[in-house]
């Protein structure tokens, strides 16, 4: 298989949601991955993740979840505006990711299998999406506030999705840092217990010496050893459940 890809901005669904898409140029068929961007927004670091999936045999797409609230704004400005509003409503996230998954399945070289992945707020949203959208695998990278509400004064106004965990529709991979506070290791352990009680498949790993954002190559939180191992686990997991 060639590693040649096509990467571009596209507009998807009836609402013409702005999204960044990359896919292999070979005839395929290829599975798809919806990449949910983190709270800092629809930025270059997230687009690089989309291209990385494409270079490894996936059609990938990242919908701009802030496009309604801040059209044509820079990622930093859009993120600041959305933070000031308390974030994006869960049901809106679900609809936009469902639209992105449908766009991947409609590609002419699609296999029909679609996974979802998110980091930070996107990690929580990936888990959320797995309870409501027909995806085949979900990856939660240090998703904050899945079980516990944000502390007083925190800009996000999100609620626990604990009551939804019984509706998880696919296997889930969780990657976390031992030094993270949101989520702290105790919350990760409780998430594992709850998913196990519901009979859900939850493979998870936590990295010593890593905190929140250890995948972020453009931030001081980056931890190369954890990130390299994490990417290996992601591709193994998606390879198992999506068939790449």
């Amino acid at each position: 298989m060639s590693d040649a890809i096509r990467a571009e901005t596209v507009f998807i669904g009836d609402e013409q949601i702005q999204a960044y898409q990359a896919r292999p140029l070979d005839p395929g068929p290829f599975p798809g991955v919806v990449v949910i961007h983190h709270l800092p927004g629809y930025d270059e670091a997230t687009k690089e993740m989309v291209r990385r999936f494409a270079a490894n045999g996936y059609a990938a797409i990242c919908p701009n979840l802030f496009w309604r609230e801040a059209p044509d704004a820079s990622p930093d400005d859009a993120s600041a505006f959305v933070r000031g509003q308390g974030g994006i409503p869960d049901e809106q996230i679900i609809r936009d990711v469902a639209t992105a998954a449908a766009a991947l399945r409609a590609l002419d070289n699609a296999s029909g299998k679609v996974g979802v992945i998110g980091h930070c707020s996107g990690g929580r949203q990936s888990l959320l999406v797995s309870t409501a959208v027909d995806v085949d695998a979900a990856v939660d990278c240090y998703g904050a506030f899945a079980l516990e509400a944000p502390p007083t004064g925190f800009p996000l106004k999100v609620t626990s999705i604990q009551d939804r965990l019984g509706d998880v529709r696919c296997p889930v991979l969780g990657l976390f840092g031992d030094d993270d506070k949101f989520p702290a290791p105790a919350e990760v352990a409780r998430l594992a217990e709850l998913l196990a009680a519901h009979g859900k498949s939850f493979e998870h790993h936590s990295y010593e010496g890593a905190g929140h954002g250890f995948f972020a190559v453009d931030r001081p939180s980056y931890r190369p050893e954890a990130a390299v191992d994490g990417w290996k686990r992601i591709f193994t997991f998606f390879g198992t459940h999506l068939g790449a």
Side-chain angles (χ1 to χ4, degrees):
M1 184 186 78
S2 167
D3 62 359
I5 66 171
R6 177 174 178 173
E8 59 190 333
T9 298
V10 296
F11 297 88
I12 58 175
D14 293 341
E15 293 185 89
Q16 290 293 280
I17 300 167
Q18 183 187 44
Y20 186 74
Q21 177 179 282
R23 58 171 171 156
L25 292 181
D26 284 357
F30 298 106
V33 176
V34 180
V35 179
I36 304 177
H37 63 70
H38 53 177
L39 187 59
Y42 176 75
D43 57 7
E44 185 55 39
T46 305
K47 292 178 179 180
E48 178 57 32
M49 291 181 185
V50 174
R51 293 190 291 269
R52 184 170 190 160
F53 279 113
N56 282 274
Y58 296 83
I61 192 167
C62 175
N64 181 358
L65 302 177
F66 301 163
W67 72 277
R68 294 179 188 84
E69 287 73 18
D72 301 321
S74 70
D76 286 346
D77 288 345
S79 177
F81 184 80
V82 169
R83 281 175 184 266
Q85 290 192 320
I88 302 295
D90 283 349
E91 297 307 315
Q92 182 174 311
I93 298 291
I94 290 169
R95 289 194 301 271
D96 285 356
V97 174
T99 297
L104 289 173
R105 289 192 172 107
L107 293 174
D108 55 11
N109 60 353
S111 73
K113 295 278 191 178
V114 173
V116 61
I117 184 172
H119 300 70
C120 185
S121 60
R124 173 190 176 276
Q125 291 160 354
S126 180
L127 185 60
L128 169 73
V129 164
S130 77
T131 72
V133 179
D134 286 328
V135 291
D136 300 286
V139 179
D140 169 5
C141 297
Y142 38 82
F145 313 124
L147 301 182
E148 300 177 6
T152 302
F154 198 84
L156 286 184
K157 298 175 183 177
V158 296
T159 58
S160 170
I161 59 173
Q162 179 174 331
D163 291 345
R164 296 181 183 247
L165 296 180
D167 297 326
V168 168
R169 304 182 183 189
C170 65
V172 178
L173 171 66
L175 298 172
F176 306 96
D178 283 350
D179 295 343
D180 204 342
K181 295 181 179 179
F182 304 113
E187 184 175 354
V188 174
R190 188 156 66 93
L191 176 61
E193 291 174 358
L194 290 167
L195 287 170
H198 286 296
K200 307 302 178 181
S201 172
F202 182 49
E203 174 188 340
H204 62 286
H205 185 75
S206 190
Y207 293 96
E208 183 179 354
H212 200 76
F214 64 80
F215 275 104
V217 297
D218 57 343
R219 296 174 181 272
S221 58
Y222 181 52
R223 296 294 180 270
E225 187 174 345
V228 168
D229 185 77
W231 275 111
K232 290 179 181 177
R233 291 174 186 269
I234 289 165
F235 283 118
T236 297
F237 179 76
F238 278 154
T240 298
H241 297 291
L242 303 183

